[in-house]
Amino acid sequence: LTSNDNQLIKIAAMQQAVDMATNTVTLTGKVVVKRGALDIRADKVVITRPDNMNVVIEGYGSPVTFYQWHNDGQQVSGYAQNVRYETAHDRVIFTGNAYLEQLESNVKFDRMIYLVKRQQLETFSDKGKQVTTVIVPSYWYGSSITAAVLTQ
Amino acid sequence: MSNTRRWTTALLGLFVLVLIGLKLTETYQKLALVKVPTHTSEPTYQSEYTTTLVYNLAGWLSYQLVADHLNYFAKPQIMLVSKPVVTTFDEHTTIPTWIVKADKAKLTKKRILYLYGHVQIDSLNNASQIKHLTTDNAIVNLVTQEVSSDDKVSISGLGYHSIGMQMRGNLRNKTAELLKNVHTTYNEINKS
């Protein structure tokens, strides 16, 4: 299921603290977040609903791990110190030693944004330059990553 | 002092003592009559469909207790309540903040409210996305507004539902913590 839209988000954890004044839910202890074909595991997750509609899930861990299955059966997996999932755009933002792989190909950057629906990856380096790597599924099949690297 | 005089004085003294003794016994008996019934199975008073308003020391309305039936026991100073509905108020604005319901409750002298059966705690704060806490049994300290339960607790609200074991929280701070086995679900709210 490439798109996670309209799927229930299910979270399991050992503890949960709810702050009804700031509408913040914090889950700790072996936190597992699942939504459709998305799977995020973290030590701690902070959940908010900024616009009363969409959900923002901020995962912290050492590291936070991420898995996403696609319709074509391919699995994209990765990790980072911080993983932020926004239902509004069905996107995942990896920050801090971010790593993502599919089949034998992988990328490693300081920060990456993965657009689940479009299966598109934007990567950013901390060295002051913004590097955008556009990876489309066909490039990923059985070959090393050959991607259009746009340096700005 | 001649013998007869001495005997007369002694007799008079004895007579006065007897009078005092009688008087004391009589008073003691009277007192016994007005003693408050200490037999705890008997309520000191009962009432039906009552509303009790309780104010804090500064004079602000602290909470209101509405009950279908209420038994008050003077000896342990506890209140047994059927179908209690407690409303708590913000101590500065007297805006109602929470409604606490249950099948039965016991309210102690120290304002500890023990809730039994179908406990439901509803937030009256419109800005809060998380609105309801439900469990089987809970304890609410009506002074500090701390709330706790050792049962399974469900917390729900705007597209949100959570279940866990054992809960500790504070109504005044608007916080609640589930201590074990938490399962939470979020669903997207319709964007249209």
Side-chain angles (χ1 to χ4, degrees), chain B residues 6-18:
Chain B
R6 201 176 284 133
W7 270 106
T8 328
T9 319
L11 276 176
L12 274 177
L14 190 64
F15 182 65
V16 165
L17 277 177
V18 165

Side-chain angles (χ1 to χ4, degrees), chain A:
Chain A
L1 298 172
T2 299
S3 162
N4 301 312
D5 275 358
N6 304 318
Q7 303 275 350
L8 207 58
I9 301 170
K10 294 179 186 169
I11 306 135
M14 291 172 69
Q15 288 97 23
Q16 174 183 271
V18 174
D19 183 336
M20 289 165 257
T22 60
N23 291 314
T24 306
V25 175
T26 304
L27 296 107
T28 50
K30 296 180 182 150
V31 186
V32 178
V33 179
K34 289 182 185 264
R35 185 189 198 210
L38 176 90
D39 179 302
I40 294 175
R41 296 171 188 234
D43 300 331
K44 172 181 161 184
V45 158
V46 178
I47 304 176
T48 51
R49 205 195 272 270
D51 57 3
N52 271 344
M53 282 190 304
N54 294 291
V55 178
V56 174
I57 298 172
E58 200 85 47
Y60 304 88
S62 41
V64 179
T65 62
F66 162 85
Y67 302 89
Q68 169 76 48
W69 281 265
H70 286 292
N71 288 350
D72 52 19
Q74 297 302 335
Q75 173 196 300
V76 175
S77 60
Y79 59 74
Q81 280 162 5
N82 169 258
V83 171
R84 175 185 171 99
Y85 174 59
E86 298 169 349
T87 59
H89 318 289
D90 206 14
R91 76 180 175 181
V92 189
I93 303 166
F94 298 79
T95 314
N97 297 326
Y99 171 88
L100 205 63
E101 74 176 20
Q102 184 178 28
L103 297 178
E104 296 77 35
S105 319
N106 62 71
V107 284
K108 198 165 191 179
F109 276 90
D110 298 304
R111 187 165 175 268
M112 291 192 273
I113 299 177
Y114 181 58
L115 305 174
V116 179
K117 237 178 287 187
R118 282 189 249 147
Q119 294 186 46
Q120 192 172 3
L121 184 68
E122 292 169 15
T123 56
F124 304 84
S125 155
D126 274 351
K127 316 276 178 316
K129 292 187 295 160
Q130 178 180 336
V131 177
T132 302
T133 309
V134 179
I135 297 170
V136 289
S138 54
Y139 284 107
W140 282 56
Y141 286 145
S143 64
S144 64
I145 293 178
T146 49
V149 179
L150 312 177
T151 315
Q152 284 153 355

Side-chain angles (χ1 to χ4, degrees), chain B residues 5-189:
Chain B
R5 206 154 183 208
R6 201 176 284 133
W7 270 106
T8 328
T9 319
L11 276 176
L12 274 177
L14 190 64
F15 182 65
V16 165
L17 277 177
V18 165
L19 269 183
I20 292 169
L22 278 173
K23 194 66 189 154
L24 273 177
T25 348
E26 192 191 299
T27 330
Y28 183 71
Q29 265 163 3
K30 237 185 231 151
L31 261 179
L33 283 174
V34 301
K35 245 174 140 197
V36 169
T38 54
H39 191 7
T40 46
S41 64
E42 285 300 316
T44 311
Y45 69 76
Q46 302 180 49
S47 63
E48 307 281 324
Y49 305 106
T50 57
T51 299
T52 310
L53 297 175
V54 178
Y55 295 80
N56 62 21
L57 295 175
W60 294 99
L61 181 56
S62 184
Y63 63 88
Q64 165 188 283
L65 166 64
V66 174
D68 280 12
H69 181 81
L70 185 151
N71 284 341
Y72 178 74
F73 297 84
K75 183 70 185 176
Q77 289 191 31
I78 61 165
M79 208 183 262
L80 299 182
V81 189
S82 303
K83 293 287 181 216
V85 178
V86 175
T87 307
T88 61
F89 294 86
D90 182 289
E91 54 194 352
H92 304 298
T93 61
T94 64
I95 292 172
T97 48
W98 295 88
I99 289 186
V100 181
K101 299 177 201 166
D103 293 341
K104 290 204 179 298
K106 175 174 80 173
L107 180 59
T108 68
K109 177 181 159 187
K110 290 186 173 159
R111 300 282 183 266
I112 309 294
L113 187 66
Y114 295 85
L115 297 155
Y116 309 106
H118 301 101
V119 178
Q120 177 156 334
I121 303 174
D122 299 330
S123 165
L124 299 175
N125 173 13
N126 290 329
S128 181
Q129 294 168 357
I130 294 146
K131 294 277 188 197
H132 312 290
L133 292 87
T134 57
T135 184
D136 290 336
N137 305 291
I139 301 172
V140 179
N141 181 321
L142 290 172
V143 176
T144 61
Q145 293 198 5
E146 279 158 2
V147 56
S148 66
S149 172
D150 285 333
D151 298 326
K152 183 167 87 171
V153 177
S154 158
I155 303 178
S156 57
L158 180 73
Y160 162 88
H161 185 254
S162 192
I163 285 181
M165 287 304 294
Q166 292 185 344
M167 184 257 293
R168 302 290 178 266
N170 188 298
L171 300 181
R172 185 168 286 135
N173 303 339
K174 303 185 180 69
T175 57
E177 215 174 320
L178 295 177
L179 303 183
K180 282 186 206 160
N181 311 335
V182 176
H183 291 279
T184 296
T185 58
Y186 276 86
N187 62 288
E188 251 180 320
I189 307 293

